Each structure stands twice: as structure tokens, then as C-alpha cells.
Amino acid sequence: NGDLEDPTYKHFSRIVNFVIHCMIFTAVVSATWLLKEIKYEIALFNNVAIFWSIVLAFHLLFVITKKPKDSEKQST
């Protein structure tokens, strides 16, 4: 039960959301690649994986740019 108005709490919430996004990306892309290699021909696999990795990179940039300025002083 954190304070939803606390900037540090919001930042760590965004980090957790990014990590969950990474885990879902890894699981889906790995499973799809495995199916592609074993049996099925998936035509759009490369395009979807590249597009999703670009979205993931923008998500990371969003998390980094929204980092509160006060957390740098508190971390020392």
C-alpha cells in the first residue's frame, strides 16, 4: 500500500510495468520462435518481433525520462 502521489512510488511502478512487459515479450517471442523452428511457418514473425522490440525500447525511454529528479539525491 503505497502513496500513489509519491513520485518515487510512481517511478518504481513504471519500472515494474516495464519488467512485466519485457517478460511477456520474451515469453511470446521465444515460444513463437520455437513453434516456427519446429513445425509451423509464421510469415510475420520477424516483423512483429522487430516492431514489438521497438515498442519495448520506447517503453524503456519513457521510464528513463519520467524518472523523478529527487530520487537521485535519495539514493546516496
Side-chain angles (χ1 to χ4, degrees):
N1 296 340
D3 181 15
L4 296 178
E5 298 303 319
D6 182 23
T8 304
Y9 180 81
K10 285 182 181 180
H11 179 64
F12 283 111
S13 176
R14 285 190 291 267
I15 290 173
V16 168
N17 288 337
F18 174 72
V19 169
I20 291 170
H21 188 182
C22 287
M23 291 188 311
I24 292 170
F25 170 78
T26 303
V28 170
V29 169
S30 297
T32 308
W33 176 81
L34 183 63
L35 287 174
K36 179 180 177 256
E37 290 296 317
I38 291 176
K39 188 173 184 176
Y40 303 102
E41 182 59 37
I42 303 171
L44 295 176
F45 172 73
N46 290 339
N47 294 338
V48 171
I50 290 170
F51 176 74
W52 198 352
S53 62
I54 291 170
V55 170
L56 196 61
F58 278 113
H59 190 172
L60 176 62
L61 288 174
F62 174 77
V63 170
I64 291 171
T65 58
K66 290 293 186 174
K67 180 178 179 182
K69 303 297 182 206
D70 297 334
S71 67
E72 294 172 359
K73 295 177 184 175
Q74 294 173 355
S75 64
T76 57

